[in-house]
Amino acid sequence: QVRLVESGGGLVQAGGSLRLSCAASGSILSINVMGWYRQAPGKQRELVATITSGFSTNYADSAQGRFTISRGNAKNTVVLQMNSLKPEDTSVYYCYLRMFGMDYWGQGTQVTVSS
């Protein structure tokens, strides 16, 4: 089965930066989309950024200009560089993968931004 492992979360001051990484392993044949979603307490899970197999990217309005999604150096990895972090970015961030019409999720990594 497909497994997604996130890393890089933590506690930072407002204005700081974090880099999240996600590595996919298992039965990986052809990835359509990888990316990041987040879910804060009491809120719906929302898209942060995605990247397709053709390297097209999509960002939430709140992430545009501050976050950058890219492929990692290792195969089947994705990186989210988060700059100028705000307290409202505080959330659990989930790695996402879509393959053959099926969705896969990581267990999440906590990002906390203090003011």
Side-chain angles (χ1 to χ4, degrees), residues 32-37 46-60 63 67-71 78-80 94-98 105:
N32 189 3
V33 181
M34 287 191 73
W36 295 90
Y37 286 69
E46 63 178 359
L47 179 146
V48 179
T50 59
I51 185 166
T52 71
S53 60
F55 305 107
S56 296
T57 58
N58 181 249
Y59 295 93
F67 296 0
T68 303
I69 190 167
S70 62
R71 291 179 57 186
V78 64
V79 173
L80 183 69
Y94 296 90
C95 183
Y96 165 79
L97 182 152
R98 187 170 180 84
W105 298 92

Side-chain angles (χ1 to χ4, degrees), residues 9-13 18 86-87 89-91 93 110-114:
L11 173 65
V12 297
Q13 291 273 302
L18 283 174
K86 305 173 181 179
D89 294 317
T90 296
S91 190
Y93 284 69
Q110 177 70 47
V111 171
T112 302
V113 184
S114 62

